[in-house]
């Protein structure tokens, strides 16, 4: 077989509601803003039109979409053709668990009103499309410690910081 | 100036908007406020404003005017500012904007910051969106951090390094020394994987040599083993499985190392078998690891036993209730079906069951896999399933399925009858989805199945009788009817009960196709040509045919018009079937047209001409003598045969309209004292010629030279080659059946030059 550079990185992650409203977008590849918007529209439409009986995987262009719904939020990861879809489901699940640990019984409203925290948590879990930290405790602790840092610097500002 | 509205308050407000217009108005108002705040260079609330801007950006509104503000936040000393600033940079900036380069210095400073969380922000940002220029500038800093004792930072630095190398592959050399410091044994949680897996894939030789994989593989095997056996570690555990992410990472590393290396593959054989057999499969996570193990086994130089184990795991996956697991199984089996064909064959029935799955992606994979598994032994059973699938599947599959069935049938058809039946089934089931290029192929196939012609044309006729909307079906049917219409009306079918069809009924259906709105232009062409060809096969309806053809001489459709005009001209020139056989419409087939003049091999089946002679019963047999278009040119006659009292003379005439045509009139006489009865004359010519035998004047040659049988042969000799002919004579004489073969070689040059 031919030796091509094999990557297993995630290309992008999207979170959106059942009405198709975007709640988070993380891109690990470079694309123009217009293109990103087009992709989001397309993918949201594809996934929202899937019924219960179908698998969690969709072939899309040269990538694969792995998606799962948690309560009212859809989590969607785009992975490469040779990547492991079942493991990606576990990646998504781990992210949800981290959110849950941090927010305590996380729901969509938490993600809406604290979207920046959702990003921070994701960035402690995944860098450049690859999992960086496999300990649940460590990832959440890093966020909480960072939050503390924020507090001390803000000094007399009211919580939340902004 | 009051403080700008807080982020969460803004979010709350925007969410109360009842219409898109209301929301837009709120956004515009807030954007205006933010813009003026930016203009005033307000440091205190910049963070808050950018955060709000990021929220509005997520809703789809433009936020580019905040790009520079992000840079200012990154440069700030406050951690809150940096946090939002870097987030903003990752969301609003990318390497396509020159502005992003301004970040480089800030990032450099932050990579050396005293607070690890600041360093972390910098590493994360660089690792997500760093451009090639930034990576080049900052690679040294990243490399330094790879060597730090702080494991929090080392992990981030490793992934940042991966990104740097992806962007600037030449920099890999720079990072190689740092890999020596990775202590795999003491830091089992260390994220070595992505670094090596990225480097290993494309340029493995450098790295592998550098790391001396003879040590690395055993080390990895040991780590994996420990991981599997180790006790419960709640932080890393997922449903009872220890750190599945790390397990998979190690498996991927092993995959790269073992890929083209026999020794490494052997060293990992046992651990792979162990993982494959011992992993708990009740939850998705266990199956995820099993799946990765299977992928690894299939990619390295594993021994056959291990490969079979892997395929059997996939086979078990196929039976799993979880459709996700069935899905990945089919995907993998599809990739491996060529190399491990026999092992996959064992799971054929399970795969075929997946054709009935509700998930479209699973169905597609099951279909592709099914086609890959068809062979000479299972073709009947498999085709049955696939034809049933073709019947019931979604339209998006039908074209591919039809093509697949045609291919498989051509390769493995157990009999011609089965082959034709299968084609018929596809044409009638999915007739409108069949690809255009399939039509000429099918025609060729049918042509070659000589003994099935009557059966085929009958079935095709019946198929379009009720419904002539499926274009490919109608095209094939039209062609066949045009070609074998004589078999159709003469009720010659052996394979099934022959139907009673009249010439008029056949023309009815062809004319319906011509008129129908549903018929594509190409289809009409087929129909018209078929009608034309029938003028030589049918006896009672030639006038009707001529009328139809002349009507289309003024058709709006240019193609049809041209055809009709040409055919009309041919009709006018020749009272009956023309010398020039009509060409098969449009699609090029490798077999040339055959209508009233099969190419005959000199050694070929002479019976064919006999049949042709019978089928060409022309109403105008008299006209062969009154061939007004022919001019005699004084070519000497020859005696072609003279034996046992039977003499056959040839006289020649050349057509003045077509120099390639020679008309031979034979005269058979009988000098014996008894009549020769049931006389049949047959002739064969070399491949480059075409021959047409018209009806004889009678079948009895009276005795004592008191009368002759005359018969006309038309020979087409486009290449002006020397005329040769083989003749076969059969007759009854003096109570016995006589037969003789002879060659005629004494044609005068004027007859063919």
């Amino acid at each position: 077989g031919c030796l091509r550079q094999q990557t297993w990185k995630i290309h992008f992650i999207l979170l959106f509601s059942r009405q198709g409203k975007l709640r988070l977008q993380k891109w690990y590849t470079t694309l123009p803003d217009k293109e990103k918007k087009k992709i989001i529209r397309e993918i949201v439409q594809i996934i929202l039109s899937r019924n219960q009986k179908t698998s969690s995987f969709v072939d899309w262009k040269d990538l694969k979409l792995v998606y799962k719904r948690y309560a009212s939020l859809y989590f969607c990861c785009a992975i490469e053709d040779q990547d492991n879809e079942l493991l990606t489901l576990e990646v998504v699940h781990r992210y949800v668990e981290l959110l849950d640990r941090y927010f305590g019984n996380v729901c969509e409203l938490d993600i809406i009103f604290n979207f920046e925290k959702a990003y921070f948590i994701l960035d402690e879990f995944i860098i450049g499309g690859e999992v960086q930290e496999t300990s649940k405790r460590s990832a959440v602790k890093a966020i909480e410690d960072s939050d503390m840092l924020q507090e001390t610097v803000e000094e007399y500002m009211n919580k939340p910081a902004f | 100036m009051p403080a700008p509205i807080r982020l969460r308050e803004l979010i709350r407000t925007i969410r109360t908007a009842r219409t898109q217009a209301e929301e837009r108005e709120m956004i515009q108002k807030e954007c205006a406020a933010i813009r003026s705040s930016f203009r005033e260079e307000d440091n205190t609330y910049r963070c808050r404003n950018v955060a709000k801007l990021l929220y509005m950006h997520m809703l789809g509104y433009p936020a580019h005017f905040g790009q520079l503000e992000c840079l200012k936040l990154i440069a700030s000393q406050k951690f809150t500012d940096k946090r939002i600033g870097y987030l903003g940079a990752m969301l609003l900036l990318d390497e396509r904007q020159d502005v992003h380069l301004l970040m480089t210095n800030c990032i450099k400073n932050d990579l050396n910051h005293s607070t690890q969380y600041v360093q972390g922000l910098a590493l994360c940002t660089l690792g997500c969106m760093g451009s090639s220029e930034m990576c080049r500038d900052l690679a040294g800093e990243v490399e330094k951090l790879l060597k730090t004792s702080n494991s929090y930072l080392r992990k981030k630095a490793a992934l940042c390094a991966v990104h740097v190398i992806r962007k600037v592959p030449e920099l890999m050399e720079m990072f190689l020394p740092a890999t020596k410091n990775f202590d795999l044994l003491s830091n089992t949680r260390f994220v070595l994987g992505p670094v090596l897996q990225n480097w290993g894939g494309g340029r493995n030789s450098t790295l592998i040599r550098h790391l001396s994989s003879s040590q690395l593989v055993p080390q990895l095997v040991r780590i994996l083993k420990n991981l599997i056996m180790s006790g419960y570690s709640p932080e890393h555990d997922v449903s009872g499985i220890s750190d599945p992410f790390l397990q998979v990472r190690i498996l991927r590393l092993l995959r790269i190392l073992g890929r083209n290396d026999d020794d490494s593959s052997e060293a990992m054989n046992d651990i792979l078998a162990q993982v494959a057999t011992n992993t708990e499969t009740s939850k998705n996570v266990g199956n995820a690891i099993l799946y990765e193990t299977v992928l690894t086994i299939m990619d390295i130089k594993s021994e056959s036993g291990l490969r079979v184990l892997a395929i059997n795991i996939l086979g078990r996956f196929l039976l799993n209730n979880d459709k996700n697991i069935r899905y990945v199984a089919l995907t993998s089996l599809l990739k491996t079906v060529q190399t491990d064909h026999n092992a996959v064959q064992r799971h054929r029935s399970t795969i075929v069951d997946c054709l009935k799955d509700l998930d479209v992606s699973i169905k597609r994979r099951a279909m592709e896999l099914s086609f890959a598994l068809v062979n000479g032994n299972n073709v009947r059973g498999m085709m049955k399933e696939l034809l049933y699938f073709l019947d019931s599947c979604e339209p998006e599959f039908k074209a591919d399925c039809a093509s697949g069935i045609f291919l498989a049938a051509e390769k493995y058809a157990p009999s011609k009858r089965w082959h034709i039946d299968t084609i018929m089934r596809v044409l009638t089931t999915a007739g409108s989805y069949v690809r255009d290029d399939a039509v000429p192929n099918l025609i060729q196939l049918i042509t070659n199945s000589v003994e099935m012609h009557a059966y085929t044309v009958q079935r095709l006729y019946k198929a379009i009788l009720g419904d002539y909307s499926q274009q490919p079906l109608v095209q094939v049917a039209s062609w066949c009817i045009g070609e074998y219409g004589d078999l159709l009306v003469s009720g010659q079918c052996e394979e099934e009960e022959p139907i009673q069809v009249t010439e008029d009924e056949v023309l009815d259906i062809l004319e319906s196709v011509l008129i129908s709105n549903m018929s594509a232009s190409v289809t009409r062409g087929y129909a018209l040509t078929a009608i034309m060809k029938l003028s030589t096969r049918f006896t009672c309806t030639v006038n009707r045919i001529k009328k139809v053809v002349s009507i289309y001489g003024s058709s709006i459709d240019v193609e049809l018009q041209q055809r009709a005009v040409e055919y009309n001209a041919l009709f006018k020139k020749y009272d009956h079937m023309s010398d020039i056989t009509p060409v098969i419409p449009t699609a090029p087939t490798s077999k040339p047209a055959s209508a009233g003049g099969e190419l005959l091999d000199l050694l070929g089946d002479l019976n064919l001409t006999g049949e042709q002679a019978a089928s060409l019963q022309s109403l105008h047999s008299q006209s062969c003598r009154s061939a007004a278009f022919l001019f005699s040119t004084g070519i000497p006659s020859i005696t072609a045969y003279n034996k046992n009292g039977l003499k056959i003379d040839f006289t020649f005439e050349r057509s003045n309209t077509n120099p390639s045509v020679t008309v031979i009139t034979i005269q058979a006489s009988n000098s014996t004292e008894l009549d020769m009865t049931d006389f049949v004359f047959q002739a064969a010519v070399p491949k480059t010629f075409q021959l047409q035998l018209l009806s004889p004047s009678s079948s009895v040659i009276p005795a004592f030279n008191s009368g002759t049988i005359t018969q006309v042969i038309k020979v087409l000799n486009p290449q002006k080659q020397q005329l040769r002919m083989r003749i076969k004579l059969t007759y009854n004489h003096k109570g016995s059946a006589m037969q003789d073969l002879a060659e005629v070689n004494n044609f005068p040059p004027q007859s063919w030059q």
Side-chain angles (χ1 to χ4, degrees):
Chain A
C2 64
L3 280 174
R4 25 174 285 274
Q5 183 151 60
Q6 185 144 39
T7 59
W8 283 281
K9 79 173 209 182
I10 296 171
H11 279 235
F12 55 82
I13 299 176
L14 302 174
L15 265 65
F16 52 89
S17 72
R18 278 189 296 193
Q19 288 76 42
K21 290 207 98 108
L22 191 67
R23 299 299 179 208
L24 183 143
Q25 53 172 324
K26 188 75 187 180
W27 299 83
Y28 298 108
T29 57
T30 310
L31 287 166
D33 221 33
K34 229 187 196 169
E35 186 69 30
K36 287 181 191 171
K37 285 203 172 125
K38 186 159 165 265
I39 289 173
I40 292 170
R41 259 199 314 269
E42 202 181 309
I43 288 177
V44 166
Q45 203 236 336
I46 289 173
I47 290 178
L48 287 180
S49 60
R50 303 262 293 179
N51 67 46
Q52 296 282 44
K53 302 199 186 83
T54 57
S55 64
S56 306
F57 314 130
V58 181
D59 290 323
W60 182 78
K61 302 207 175 154
D62 59 339
L63 299 173
K64 291 192 280 208
L65 304 174
V66 177
Y67 71 94
K68 193 155 174 192
R69 186 168 71 81
Y70 288 83
S72 59
L73 263 184
Y74 280 92
F75 288 69
C76 175
C77 276
I79 57 174
E80 298 204 354
D81 193 51
Q82 73 277 12
D83 205 336
N84 184 334
E85 297 95 320
L86 301 180
L87 189 77
T88 309
L89 283 173
E90 293 301 318
V91 169
V92 167
H93 191 74
R94 172 58 65 90
Y95 180 45
V96 172
E97 279 183 310
L98 293 175
L99 290 169
D100 199 48
R101 262 203 198 199
Y102 179 79
F103 287 108
N105 275 329
V106 68
C107 65
E108 191 185 345
L109 279 176
D110 291 319
I111 311 289
I112 294 170
F113 281 95
N114 301 281
F115 70 91
E116 83 282 8
K117 294 284 169 62
Y119 277 102
F120 296 153
I121 293 169
L122 184 58
D123 286 341
E124 283 302 320
F125 177 39
I126 295 175
I127 283 186
E130 310 245 16
V131 170
Q132 67 177 282
E133 178 56 71
T134 61
S135 158
K136 291 178 246 187
R137 195 182 62 86
S138 304
V140 175
K141 185 171 184 307
I143 302 294
E144 286 169 349
D145 287 353
S146 299
D147 287 349
M148 293 304 294
L149 211 55
Q150 224 169 261
E151 294 298 324
T152 47
V153 168
E154 281 322 293
E155 292 184 71
Y156 304 116
M157 289 262 184
N158 292 328
K159 297 174 221 230
F162 39 81
Chain B
M1 183 74 176
I5 180 176
R6 289 180 186 282
L7 168 67
R8 308 202 204 284
E9 215 178 299
L10 177 69
I11 297 176
R12 209 163 327 195
T13 311
I14 291 177
R15 282 168 64 78
T16 62
R18 277 159 300 178
T19 63
Q20 185 72 24
E22 213 181 315
E23 181 187 277
R24 214 174 312 134
E25 208 183 302
M26 291 177 186
I27 301 273
Q28 272 168 359
K29 188 160 151 235
E30 185 56 36
C31 273
I34 292 175
R35 277 186 134 111
S36 55
S37 186
F38 285 164
R39 269 196 298 270
E40 286 158 24
E41 297 282 344
D42 182 300
N43 288 332
T44 320
Y45 296 107
R46 180 177 287 122
C47 179
R48 181 182 291 184
N49 286 328
V50 169
K52 287 186 283 184
L53 201 55
L54 293 179
Y55 178 74
M56 295 189 286
H57 176 252
M58 181 143 65
L59 291 178
Y61 296 92
H64 46 270
F65 59 89
Q67 285 168 357
L68 275 171
E69 302 302 315
C70 293
L71 295 175
K72 291 178 194 165
L73 284 174
I74 290 172
S76 157
Q77 289 312 304
K78 296 198 208 147
F79 183 70
T80 316
D81 284 355
K82 283 187 190 290
R83 237 184 168 186
I84 295 294
Y86 276 116
L87 178 62
M90 285 191 273
L91 286 173
L92 300 181
L93 287 170
D94 61 50
E95 58 185 300
R96 301 152 59 82
Q97 285 125 8
D98 292 329
V99 153
H100 85 279
L101 285 167
L102 297 172
M103 272 198 290
T104 315
N105 220 38
C106 286
I107 294 184
K108 187 169 188 179
N109 291 336
D110 285 343
L111 285 174
N112 292 300
H113 203 274
S114 49
T115 312
Q116 70 174 13
Y117 295 115
V118 172
Q119 290 172 293
L121 286 175
L123 281 169
C124 176
T125 306
L126 182 61
C128 282
M129 53 150 317
S131 63
S132 317
E133 299 98 316
M134 280 169 73
C135 288
R136 252 184 258 270
D137 287 339
L138 300 168
E141 305 300 325
V142 177
E143 198 260 338
K144 262 195 317 206
L145 286 170
L146 266 178
K147 299 188 276 212
T148 176
S149 53
N150 181 333
S151 67
Y152 173 78
L153 288 178
R154 260 207 320 270
K155 290 178 202 177
K156 291 185 189 284
L159 286 173
C160 190
V162 168
H163 176 84
V164 167
I165 294 169
R166 279 188 184 135
K167 279 295 192 189
V168 192
E170 308 90 76
L171 290 175
M172 176 172 79
E173 300 292 327
M174 179 190 234
F175 292 98
L176 283 179
T179 64
K180 281 221 156 83
N181 296 335
F182 295 159
D183 189 345
L184 294 171
L185 292 174
S186 64
N187 189 354
T188 56
R189 305 287 175 223
F190 186 80
V191 177
L192 170 66
V195 178
L196 284 183
Q197 94 195 14
N198 178 62
W199 297 341
R203 332 258 184 265
N204 70 335
S205 48
T206 323
L207 182 68
I208 300 307
R209 261 185 277 121
H210 179 89
L211 289 172
S212 166
S213 64
S214 60
Q215 291 171 8
L216 191 54
V217 172
Q219 281 180 334
L220 288 171
V221 167
R222 212 168 24 241
I223 292 174
L224 187 52
K225 213 175 230 166
N226 287 336
L227 200 50
I228 297 171
M229 316 278 227
S230 70
Y232 178 64
S233 161
E235 307 172 26
H236 301 89
D237 178 273
V238 179
S239 303
I241 297 202
S242 316
D243 208 341
F245 300 109
L246 185 59
Q247 283 195 41
V248 164
R249 191 150 279 159
I250 295 173
L251 285 168
R252 286 176 180 173
L253 252 176
L254 289 173
R255 192 158 145 192
I256 292 175
L257 294 172
R259 195 175 266 154
N260 282 304
D261 190 322
D262 288 319
D263 292 332
S264 297
S265 298
E266 202 187 310
M268 57 183 82
N269 196 77
D270 287 347
I271 190 64
L272 290 175
Q274 190 180 339
V275 175
T277 37
N278 292 337
T279 306
E280 179 65 48
T281 59
S282 54
K283 292 264 174 67
N284 179 66
V285 60
N287 288 314
I289 292 180
L290 262 189
Y291 184 44
E292 194 67 41
T293 310
V294 167
L295 293 175
T296 304
I297 292 173
M298 302 315 290
D299 219 0
I300 64 171
K301 302 240 174 223
S302 44
E303 49 151 39
S304 63
L306 199 56
R307 289 183 85 87
V308 171
L309 177 62
I311 294 188
N312 288 343
I313 290 175
L314 294 177
R316 274 207 308 280
F317 273 7
L318 280 180
L319 300 167
N320 198 305
N321 281 330
D322 188 338
K323 43 186 145 34
N324 291 335
I325 293 175
R326 290 203 298 277
Y327 177 99
V328 303
L330 284 171
T331 307
S332 302
L333 286 169
L334 200 49
K335 292 196 182 126
T336 188
V337 70
Q338 303 302 336
T339 42
D340 297 274
H341 193 89
N342 292 333
V344 180
Q345 276 283 4
R346 271 182 234 129
H347 303 279
R348 196 178 66 243
S349 55
T350 327
I351 290 168
V352 166
D353 280 342
C354 290
L355 285 171
K356 305 189 181 89
D357 204 295
L358 293 157
D359 183 323
V360 160
S361 325
I362 289 181
K363 268 203 254 217
R364 173 165 286 281
R365 280 161 172 73
M367 180 183 82
E368 287 175 28
L369 204 43
S370 298
F371 280 123
L373 290 174
V374 177
N375 61 28
N377 293 327
N378 60 35
V379 63
R380 281 188 196 267
M382 289 296 276
M383 280 300 124
K384 210 155 125 195
E385 297 283 352
L386 287 162
L387 282 166
Y388 180 75
F389 176 68
L390 180 65
D391 225 336
S392 53
C393 68
E394 287 82 348
E396 65 206 80
F397 290 123
K398 293 208 194 245
D400 288 334
C401 191
S403 300
I405 291 177
F406 285 146
L407 262 162
E410 201 170 317
K411 269 203 246 177
Y412 303 111
S415 74
K416 282 218 152 97
R417 162 88 191 253
W418 181 94
H419 197 170
I420 298 285
D421 279 343
T422 304
I423 291 174
M424 289 296 310
R425 179 85 183 270
V426 175
L427 285 175
T428 49
T429 312
S432 17
Y433 296 96
V434 168
R435 296 208 162 87
D436 292 337
D437 59 358
V439 172
N441 290 339
L442 293 175
I443 287 177
Q444 184 170 342
L445 212 65
I446 291 169
T447 309
N448 290 338
S449 313
V450 174
E451 63 274 25
M452 304 296 303
H453 286 168
Y455 172 70
T456 309
V457 69
Q458 178 164 298
R459 287 212 54 195
L460 282 167
Y461 172 78
K462 285 199 281 191
I464 63 170
L465 208 50
D467 166 27
Y468 40 88
S469 62
Q470 305 189 83
Q471 301 305 294
L473 170 62
V474 175
Q475 287 167 18
V476 176
S478 300
W479 188 90
C480 277
I481 292 172
E483 190 68 16
Y484 311 118
D486 50 313
L487 300 176
L488 188 57
V489 299
S490 62
Q492 288 187 29
C493 186
E494 283 173 6
E495 300 281 342
E496 65 175 19
E497 187 68 34
I499 54 174
Q500 311 289 349
V501 190
T502 65
E503 293 182 8
D504 276 304
E505 283 168 332
V506 173
L507 289 172
D508 282 343
I509 189 70
L510 287 175
E511 279 192 57
S512 304
V513 170
L514 262 178
I515 307 170
S516 168
N517 287 332
M518 297 183 287
S519 297
S521 184
V522 169
T523 310
R524 290 211 181 92
Y526 274 94
L528 186 60
T529 305
I531 291 176
M532 176 62 194
K533 281 153 85 170
L534 288 172
S535 70
T536 68
R537 285 129 169 97
F538 283 177
T539 54
C540 329
T541 49
V542 180
N543 281 328
R544 176 177 175 183
I545 291 174
K546 280 188 183 175
K547 210 153 79 176
V548 171
V549 172
S550 70
I551 288 172
Y552 278 86
S554 37
S555 164
I556 296 174
D557 184 319
V558 174
E559 258 291 304
L560 287 182
Q561 194 196 102
Q562 184 175 351
R563 254 184 244 281
V565 166
E566 286 170 0
Y567 296 160
N568 268 331
L570 288 172
F571 268 137
K572 289 200 173 66
K573 283 201 176 112
Y574 310 109
D575 285 317
H576 42 79
M577 179 55 192
S578 64
D579 298 321
I580 318 305
T581 57
V583 180
I584 286 182
T586 58
T589 53
S590 53
K591 206 170 190 317
S594 54
E598 297 263 302
L599 291 184
L600 295 165
D601 195 324
L602 202 59
L603 304 168
D605 184 4
L606 288 171
N607 284 330
L608 226 40
T609 33
E611 263 179 37
Q612 293 289 349
S615 67
L616 288 172
Q617 1 156 348
S618 168
L619 286 177
H620 312 280
S621 53
Q622 299 298 314
S623 69
C624 66
R625 280 183 233 115
S626 65
F629 59 97
L630 297 174
F631 284 77
S632 176
T633 49
I635 306 170
S637 321
I638 58 167
T639 300
Y641 179 92
N642 195 352
K643 219 156 123 187
N644 300 329
L646 174 60
K647 186 156 86 98
I648 299 179
D649 293 319
F650 284 7
T651 52
F652 304 96
E653 280 155 325
R654 300 294 295 269
S655 160
N656 74 327
T657 47
N658 187 337
S660 304
V661 172
T662 306
V663 180
I664 306 170
T665 306
I666 71 160
Q667 289 203 304
S669 55
N670 172 11
S671 62
T672 70
E673 65 273 19
L674 279 174
D675 293 352
M676 292 169 182
T677 59
D678 300 303
F679 179 87
V680 178
F681 173 94
Q682 291 170 318
V685 286
K687 273 204 179 73
T688 53
F689 298 80
Q690 280 188 40
L691 180 139
Q692 189 185 358
L693 211 52
L694 304 186
S695 304
S697 57
S698 88
S699 62
V700 175
I701 318 178
F704 301 114
N705 291 323
S706 55
T708 61
I709 288 178
T710 50
Q711 193 166 9
V712 171
I713 310 171
K714 288 189 192 160
V715 178
L716 179 65
N717 181 9
Q719 293 182 30
K720 299 270 183 196
Q721 294 193 345
Q722 162 131 32
L723 188 49
R724 281 152 53 214
M725 194 183 280
R726 241 194 189 202
I727 59 178
K728 181 176 173 187
L729 313 160
T730 53
Y731 57 96
N732 288 329
H733 190 230
K734 296 179 181 166
S736 349
M738 307 287 289
Q739 187 179 294
D740 200 6
L741 280 166
E743 239 180 286
V744 184
N745 288 320
N746 52 335
F747 289 98
Q750 302 98 306
S751 67
W752 51 268
Q753 269 176 348

